[in-house]
Amino acid sequence: GIQVEQSPPDLILQEGANSTLRCNFSDSVNNLQWFHQNPWGQLINLFYIPSGTKQNGRLSATTVATERYSLLYISSSQTTDSGVYFCAVGEAGTALIFGKGTTLSVSS
Amino acid sequence: GAVVSQHPSWVICKSGTSVKIECRSLDFQATTMFWYRQFPKQSLMLMATSNEGSKATYEQGVEKDKFLINHASLTLSTLTVTSAHPEDSSFYICSARAQGGAAEAFFGQGTRLTVV
């Protein structure tokens, strides 16, 4: 099956810093999504980005499908950005396969 | 985005009893729904794929007789944990995609199950 690797596993930042999270996947996919899991466990959809670049406020993401990786950029980080960020990939109609996540801690 | 509602958000049950978790797609129809389990500080692991009107497909190592899945309509799938034991305590999350082959998946709020 598809393997999904996220890096780094843990990231500690000061408020205001920028960060880049990476997701590598082992096979071609037509779905890639980034999520933020809040302290209550809910998965917040950040981006649906099987290819290309998208931006939403301080967050942006880029997926290079031909090279099988995606990057999530967080700029001017805030304490509310803390939590676990997951990358998940899959084919149309099938379940998403999740990476192990990056745990982000932003301190003031 | 589309809304997937999961109920209950949390439940505590006694060992040996059964618990039913509901997953509803509120504003779209989903022929396929997915059930995941997440243990503390771990990632989401796929348990089963729920198909409307047919039997669910379970991942290797998941007991189909313990985790009963029913997908009776295009907007509702249920997961029943039968004869629950403390090791079944976990966070269960459902996911759904809209009909028509749309690829983006939407997730419910999750259910935290504690078996005492």
Side-chain angles (χ1 to χ4, degrees):
Chain A
I2 298 173
Q3 305 296 314
V4 183
E5 293 185 2
Q6 291 187 243
S7 60
D10 300 283
L11 188 56
I12 300 174
L13 299 175
Q14 283 283 100
E15 204 167 25
N18 303 327
S19 62
T20 301
L21 283 58
R22 187 177 179 103
C23 173
N24 292 332
F25 46 98
S26 61
D27 206 347
S28 59
V29 297
N30 57 20
N31 181 9
L32 188 146
Q33 294 182 237
W34 283 97
F35 299 90
H36 177 208
Q37 188 167 40
N38 68 19
W40 297 271
Q42 186 170 6
L43 287 175
I44 309 300
N45 281 42
L46 297 178
F47 293 102
Y48 165 64
I49 187 166
S51 64
T53 297
K54 291 186 177 180
Q55 181 160 5
N56 184 2
R58 296 182 295 103
L59 302 181
S60 64
T62 295
T63 297
V64 183
T66 53
E67 297 187 23
R68 300 179 186 169
Y69 74 89
S70 182
L71 302 174
L72 177 69
Y73 305 97
I74 305 174
S75 64
S76 303
S77 58
Q78 301 176 358
T79 55
T80 52
D81 295 331
S82 296
V84 184
Y85 290 80
F86 287 107
C87 166
V89 304
E91 300 285 341
T94 66
L96 289 178
I97 305 301
F98 281 75
K100 293 185 177 181
T102 292
T103 300
L104 174 64
S105 299
V106 182
S107 57
S108 57
Chain B
V3 178
V4 176
S5 177
Q6 193 172 333
H7 178 81
S9 300
W10 59 271
V11 58
I12 301 173
C13 72
K14 291 186 176 180
S15 226
T17 62
S18 296
V19 173
K20 180 184 284 189
I21 302 170
E22 292 187 348
C23 179
R24 295 182 184 272
S25 54
L26 297 187
D27 51 1
F28 66 99
Q29 293 183 327
T31 51
T32 305
M33 292 185 176
F34 307 97
W35 288 94
Y36 294 81
R37 179 168 53 183
Q38 184 181 30
F39 291 109
K41 299 194 182 300
Q42 294 189 21
S43 186
L44 280 76
M45 298 301 296
L46 178 67
M47 297 176 65
T49 299
S50 167
N51 300 294
E52 187 266 336
S54 65
K55 290 184 178 181
T57 303
Y58 292 82
E59 296 299 298
Q60 191 172 7
V62 178
E63 300 175 57
K64 61 180 180 180
D65 294 331
K66 167 170 273 297
F67 299 101
L68 301 180
I69 291 173
N70 184 277
H71 193 157
S73 77
L74 287 172
T75 59
L76 173 65
S77 176
T78 60
L79 168 67
T80 301
V81 183
T82 64
S83 187
H85 288 95
E87 56 265 31
D88 298 324
S89 299
S90 188
F91 191 62
Y92 294 87
I93 311 177
C94 70
S95 169
R97 285 200 176 98
Q99 277 186 297
E104 186 173 7
F106 298 92
F107 285 76
Q109 306 95 313
T111 297
R112 193 164 303 282
L113 170 63
T114 302
V115 185
V116 298

